[in-house]
């Protein structure tokens, strides 16, 4: 996930090889508003998709499973 921001502390939110439970709230993992935007930009660049402003809600980042479900639907629509 995107680096954690705030208090001058950088570094990854999780290790690259850590598994994330689909139903675990991302906010519990330390994702904050700046991290959410950074994550969104990374996803857009990696998957070459664009989130519409009205789709960027707090619910989008509620859990990893919800976020990846939205990304999957967006990728299916592009095919």
């Amino acid at each position: 996930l995107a680096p954690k921001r705030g208090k001058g502390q950088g570094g990854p939110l999780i290790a690259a090889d850590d598994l994330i439970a689909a139903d675990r709230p991302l906010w519990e993992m330390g994702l904050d508003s700046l991290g959410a935007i950074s994550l969104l930009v990374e996803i857009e660049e990696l998957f070459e998709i664009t989130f519409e402003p009205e789709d960027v809600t707090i619910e989008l980042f509620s859990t990893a499973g919800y976020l990846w479900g939205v990304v999957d639907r967006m990728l299916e629509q592009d095919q």
Side-chain angles (χ1 to χ4, degrees):
L1 291 174
K4 185 174 182 178
R5 306 275 193 252
K7 298 182 185 174
Q9 302 293 321
L13 206 53
I14 62 168
D17 58 349
D18 281 350
L19 296 177
I20 303 172
D23 62 345
R24 184 169 179 200
L26 296 177
W27 309 115
E28 284 183 4
M29 297 175 59
L31 186 69
D32 60 14
S33 58
L34 291 176
I37 297 303
S38 179
L39 177 59
L40 183 74
V41 170
E42 288 181 37
I43 290 170
E44 287 183 328
E45 291 174 354
L46 180 65
F47 293 103
E48 298 179 351
I49 58 176
T50 302
F51 289 90
E52 297 299 325
E54 61 269 12
D55 296 330
V56 181
T57 64
I58 195 161
E59 183 180 24
L60 180 62
F61 300 98
S62 59
T63 65
Y66 186 86
L67 176 59
W68 291 123
V70 171
V71 171
D72 281 342
R73 286 189 294 281
M74 292 174 74
L75 291 171
E76 287 175 4
Q77 290 174 355
D78 284 348
Q79 293 181 1

